[in-house]
Amino acid sequence: MDAALRETLKQMPKAELHMHIEGSLEPELIFALAERNQVKLNYASVEELRRAYAFTDLQSFLDIYYAGASVLLKEQDFYDMTWAYLQHAREDNVKHAEIFFDPQTHTDRGVPFGTAINGIHRALKDARAEWGMSSAIIMCFLRHLSEEAALETLEQSMPYRDKIIGVGLDSSERGHPPEKFARVFARCKELGLRLVAHAGEEGPPEYIRTALDLLKVERIDHGVRCLEDPALTQRLARDKVPLTVCPLSNIKLRVFDKVGDHNLVKLLDAGLTVTVNSDDPAYFGGYVNENFVQMFDALPLDKNHAYRLARNSFAASFLDAQAKQKFLDEVDAFFEQ
Ligand code: ADE
Ligand code: ZN
């Protein structure tokens, strides 16, 4: 890739719509928080922990990701984690971030819901005040747990309703189909929450269809396996259902063998509203710009694709129409230069 395209990818205004804040915990911060909170880790050093980041599938990652999150106990820990992510996002010219968090990963360890969300929210507020960065919080239900547990989590979130824009569904996909969470998503919709779900990452295309039909989600997180089902692909294109694709995640979790095998170009060629995101940047080898650079290096992608991906990121966001237009105009102005 030429230097100009690389600069364009880095400098272009963008939104990030698929990033788990617990997945932004770098090994150095995990160790610092473990020491601060007197939490014992099963790894002797930062290097040993990093060496364990050799994943064979989604579950092998999730086991380490939940262990890493065990160092988060105090509101300040959640603040520090979020602030560290926001600094990376700012460097990558992320103008708007919709951040996932997994409340059950914390409440199941006895950390109150409010401790987690207040720490995350305070960091987002500071980034808005200091840099004008726009953001929102999406809470995800863990799909390996029961729907009753998700309903209980929704109940716990009610005092913080004003801090939450929507809900998602993450964790182990296979064997935990969307329909398991139909009631809780219906309740969330009644409450006016925006709806997304991970589907078609490791799970079959059918999970994308049921996420749309039974959960009524507005975006699909990942969704890369949709191409196995041409009718579904056509539907996603026709209805402009955004896919929040996370290329480096897909490589690290062996959805594709190598960067050059990723189906990003095929997704774009199918007319899908694709966005590029980092998923769990501390675990998968880079923040959002690294995802752009590695994909554009390996695949036949050009400046027109960059423009489309930057526009999609804001178009697919949960910003109100006016804010969305302001950012889309910024993207247009950037690419006109
Ligand atoms: N939680 C964090 N990252 C995830 C992913 N890529 N898929 C499912 N659950 C997750
Ligand atoms: Zn994810």
Side-chain angles (χ1 to χ4, degrees), residues 154-175:
L154 179 60
E155 211 48 54
Q156 290 170 3
S157 77
M158 282 299 107
Y160 310 94
R161 173 67 187 85
D162 62 320
K163 296 188 168 72
I164 300 170
I165 199 166
V167 299
L169 186 64
D170 66 0
S171 192
S172 323
E173 187 182 8
R174 285 200 190 111

Side-chain angles (χ1 to χ4, degrees), residues 7 34 66 68 85 108 126 149 159 198-199 215 240 265 293 326 331:
E7 271 319 290
Y66 294 129
Y85 163 72
D108 284 1
D126 285 354
H198 284 53
L215 303 188
K240 298 188 167 52
V265 177
V293 166
K326 182 192 81 142
V331 172

